[in-house]
Amino acid sequence: MYVRITSSGRFYYKEGEGKSEHHHQDDYQIQLVYAGKARNYFDGQPYDLESGDIVFCRKGRYHAFSATSKEGVKMLEVKFTSADESVQEVLGGIDTKFADRENQIYTLLSRIVLEGQRKALHYRSMSSALLMECLLSMNRLCLEHSLPLYESNPIHQLRRSSLATKSEVLDSVDAYINSHIGTSFSLSQMADECGYNQDYLYRVIKKQTGLSAIKYINLVKFERSLSLIQNTELSLSEIGWNLGFENLQYFSRFFKQHGGIAPSEYIEKVRRTTRTDY
């Protein structure tokens, strides 16, 4: 399977801004809204979009869109071409509009955009491989939406029942961390409020995640910091404060230790409006 990316980018459009009707003559386009709201038109038919929604514009369609929320809209966009028949089969199963509520597609598109920005060794090949994974995931996602409940539900229920005990423990830990993420708490306090013996809780966390309790809590905090940078307009100082750090210096040190990049550098890459032509 072969796809060729022609451009990728992360864009911000103010309310009322967007693109007037234009013709996608040679390429396909994926747009994912990750903040705000927009209205897309395909061959004159409107589609209202909110955070987590994806639209797929096929080659040959007429397309327009504009931001509809006061805060504007933020989008990830990837354009590509392909004449591969096996790819055409995959594209045939992708809907015009669908939702990415678990951020699976968002993660893949974000990596494509970063590959284009950094232009590391073999970035074209890496970007194409990520896009192919993205298209296959989109195809599966759309197929799952079309399956009747009696076909899609049993596997889900089986997985839940087989992991019920383990999931409940980790779910309670996650819930506690998320509700106390901006405060200072001890591991014994977390164990008591989750209703488990402290040693047992530590063993479950280690078995489920491969991390110590402290490292797991820090990972949850780091992931929350990524989400706040990607999906809000909060400053780094405000993000650090929301996560319980006394000042920006402590937060910056924490972020770089876990992400390998300064938060100021990361936020500039994520929030700037940019397009990369391949």
Side-chain angles (χ1 to χ4, degrees):
M1 293 185 176
Y2 176 73
V3 291
R4 185 178 71 84
I5 298 176
T6 55
S7 69
S8 67
R10 188 183 293 268
F11 296 94
Y12 168 67
Y13 301 96
K14 296 180 181 178
E15 183 180 16
E17 292 183 345
K19 298 286 184 181
S20 58
E21 188 174 64
H22 54 284
H23 188 208
H24 281 252
Q25 183 174 352
D26 300 315
D27 55 19
Y28 302 87
Q29 183 179 30
I30 303 167
Q31 289 181 302
L32 184 150
V33 173
Y34 64 91
K37 297 181 179 180
R39 174 168 290 177
N40 260 262
Y41 293 87
F42 293 96
D43 299 326
Q45 182 177 351
Y47 294 85
D48 288 322
L49 309 176
E50 60 183 14
S51 182
D53 284 340
I54 300 171
V55 285
F56 175 54
C57 184
R58 300 181 184 280
K59 181 171 61 176
R61 298 195 74 175
Y62 285 89
H63 171 50
F65 66 89
S66 62
T68 56
S69 53
K70 291 183 179 180
E71 67 271 24
V73 66
K74 293 183 177 181
M75 291 182 171
L76 289 170
E77 301 179 11
V78 172
K79 292 182 180 179
F80 65 96
T81 63
S82 180
D84 191 318
E85 290 186 4
S86 57
V87 174
Q88 299 302 315
E89 184 178 349
V90 173
L91 299 181
I94 299 177
D95 299 333
T96 297
K97 176 192 171 184
F98 56 98
D100 175 40
R101 299 308 181 207
E102 296 185 2
N103 292 327
Q104 179 183 10
I105 309 303
Y106 175 87
T107 300
L108 291 167
L109 293 178
S110 294
R111 290 182 62 190
I112 291 171
V113 171
L114 286 175
E115 284 290 332
Q117 289 176 349
R118 294 171 179 170
K119 288 185 167 58
L121 184 65
H122 307 307
Y123 80 94
R124 293 176 188 270
S125 297
M126 178 63 79
S127 296
S128 294
L130 288 168
L131 177 58
M132 198 63 246
E133 181 180 353
C134 183
L135 295 175
L136 289 167
S137 298
M138 289 165 62
N139 179 284
R140 285 182 174 181
L141 192 57
C142 292
L143 178 61
E144 288 174 5
H145 290 169
S146 67
L147 288 175
L149 288 177
Y150 68 84
E151 290 187 30
S152 59
N153 214 31
I155 295 176
H156 178 64
Q157 294 299 330
L158 179 62
R159 184 186 67 80
R160 284 181 60 85
S161 62
S162 65
L163 297 177
T165 303
K166 297 177 182 177
S167 296
E168 286 173 5
V169 175
L170 208 56
D171 284 348
S172 66
V173 169
D174 288 343
Y176 182 84
I177 296 172
N178 286 319
S179 63
H180 295 79
I181 204 163
T183 62
S184 177
F185 59 87
S186 69
L187 297 179
S188 60
Q189 286 176 320
M190 182 177 74
D192 287 342
E193 293 204 28
C194 288
Y196 295 100
N197 174 273
Q198 184 170 317
D199 290 337
Y200 171 73
L201 193 66
Y202 292 176
R203 288 197 301 271
V204 172
I205 293 174
K206 181 70 174 179
K207 185 175 181 179
Q208 289 281 289
T209 69
L211 301 172
S212 67
I214 290 291
K215 288 185 177 179
Y216 183 70
I217 292 169
N218 285 337
L219 177 62
V220 174
K221 279 197 171 190
F222 177 66
E223 289 180 342
R224 175 69 71 84
S225 71
L226 291 177
S227 177
L228 291 173
I229 289 174
Q230 293 167 357
N231 301 313
T232 75
E233 293 298 323
L234 294 175
S235 68
L236 289 177
S237 295
E238 289 171 323
I239 291 172
W241 178 260
N242 285 337
L243 296 178
F245 292 93
E246 294 181 4
N247 57 53
L248 181 57
Q249 182 180 0
Y250 288 156
F251 173 61
S252 296
R253 187 183 306 159
F254 168 86
F255 190 95
K256 188 167 186 178
Q257 179 183 352
H258 288 81
I261 184 175
S264 57
E265 183 180 353
Y266 182 73
I267 199 171
E268 196 275 333
K269 287 180 178 295
V270 166
R271 291 186 179 178
R272 70 182 181 185
T273 297
T274 180
R275 165 178 166 150
T276 301
D277 291 321
Y278 282 68

